[in-house]
Amino acid sequence: RGRQAVEVVVAREKVVVTPKGVDPGAFDGPADVPAFERRFDILAGQPVVGFVGRLNAIKGLDFLLDAFAALLARKPDAVLLLVGPDDGTRAALEAQVARLGIVGSVRFTGMLTGSADKAAAYRAADVYVLPSRYENLPATVLEALLLGTPCIVSDRCGLAAQLAEANVAQVVPFGAADQLSSMLAQALDQPEAAHSRAVRGRAYVIEHFSWEAVTDRWETVYRRCVEQAKL
C-alpha cells in the first residue's frame, strides 16, 4: 500500500505504513484439537499442512496444491487442510485436486466461525502456508505465529521480507512448487527447528503487531504531524 501511494498519490517522505494490529489474546480460550481433527477425518499423528482464508484466486492455492502433490511423494500420509469460505475458486481447486489424484489427502472445511475453531485449525497444522499471488498485511500468518505454528509465505506477501529477516517464517518465491514442497518436507522432518522459529515469531508479533505496539506507532505519527503543522 505504501508503494502504491508513492506511485499514485504522494511523495515517498510523506508516506508512513502502519499495519493493522492483532490481539495477542484472541485465541487464548480452549481449543479441542483432537475433536477438530476427528471432525475433518485427520488421524492422530498425520502431518498437516494448513491454510486459512478465502478460497480466492489471489491466494495462490493452485500453487500450494501443486507443491503439496509433490510433497506426498515423500510424505504419503500428509493432509492439506484448506479452511475458509468459497470466494470463486473452490470448484476449480476441487478439479485440480482430482486431476492431481490427491482427493483423499485434501480437506475443504468451508468457513469456520468462532475463535475456538480457528485456533484448533491453526494448532492442528504442523506448518501453515500463505501462498498468495498478492497480499497486503498477512493477518492469518500473524495469527498462526501467535499460536506457535511454523509458517511459510510467498515472497508476494506483505511483510515477507521482514519475517524472513527476523527468522520467524520461511519465504518461498511464488510459483516455485518444487521449492515449496522441499520447505514443507523440511518443516515436517525438522519440527524442532520449525517450532523454534514459530516461538520467536510469537514474540515478534507481540512486539511489532499487537494493538499496543500499533497504537504507539500511530501516536508517534500523529505527534510528528502536529509538530510539522506548527512549523
Side-chain angles (χ1 to χ4, degrees):
R1 291 296 188 183
R3 183 172 62 252
Q4 291 171 342
V6 169
E7 292 172 351
V8 179
V9 184
V10 297
R12 182 180 300 276
E13 62 270 16
K14 293 188 177 181
V15 175
V16 177
V17 178
T18 302
K20 177 183 176 182
V22 294
D23 178 6
F27 300 108
D28 284 351
D32 192 339
V33 177
F36 179 89
E37 291 175 337
R38 290 193 298 272
R39 179 176 165 191
F40 294 106
D41 193 27
I42 300 171
L43 300 178
Q46 277 191 287
V48 178
V49 176
F51 165 85
V52 177
R54 297 174 294 124
L55 305 189
N56 183 286
I58 203 171
K59 298 297 184 180
L61 294 175
D62 50 342
F63 162 38
L64 176 55
L65 284 174
D66 285 340
F68 180 74
L71 173 69
L72 288 175
R74 289 182 274 188
K75 301 286 182 182
D77 60 338
V79 170
L80 177 60
L81 184 68
L82 300 179
V83 177
D86 182 20
D87 194 22
T89 63
R90 177 160 176 168
L93 293 172
E94 289 178 333
Q96 183 180 358
V97 167
R99 186 169 64 253
L100 291 169
I102 59 174
V103 173
S105 301
V106 181
R107 310 286 188 271
F108 290 89
T109 73
M111 183 173 181
L112 298 181
T113 58
S115 60
D117 268 350
K118 284 188 70 177
Y122 285 126
R123 288 175 175 155
D126 295 289
V127 56
Y128 178 80
V129 184
L130 186 62
S132 298
R133 286 179 164 80
Y134 176 80
E135 193 83 31
N136 286 316
L137 177 72
T140 59
V141 172
L142 302 183
E143 291 174 348
L145 288 173
L146 280 174
L147 289 168
T149 302
C151 292
I152 300 172
V153 302
S154 84
D155 60 352
R156 298 187 185 180
C157 291
L159 302 181
Q162 293 94 315
L163 295 174
E165 183 179 3
N167 194 23
V168 298
Q170 292 182 291
V171 177
V172 63
F174 177 80
D178 288 344
Q179 191 170 339
L180 176 53
S181 177
S182 294
M183 284 185 175
L184 290 170
Q186 183 182 51
L188 296 174
D189 285 337
Q190 302 175 18
E192 291 184 2
H195 281 286
S196 179
R197 278 193 299 272
V199 169
R200 291 195 301 272
R202 174 176 169 81
Y204 182 84
V205 170
I206 292 172
E207 180 181 357
H208 296 280
F209 299 100
S210 66
W211 277 115
E212 182 178 358
V214 170
T215 299
D216 287 345
R217 290 165 73 171
W218 272 115
E219 288 180 352
T220 299
V221 171
Y222 286 138
R223 289 192 187 99
R224 289 177 183 170
C225 291
V226 170
E227 290 169 0
Q228 290 177 8
K230 292 178 179 178
L231 297 178

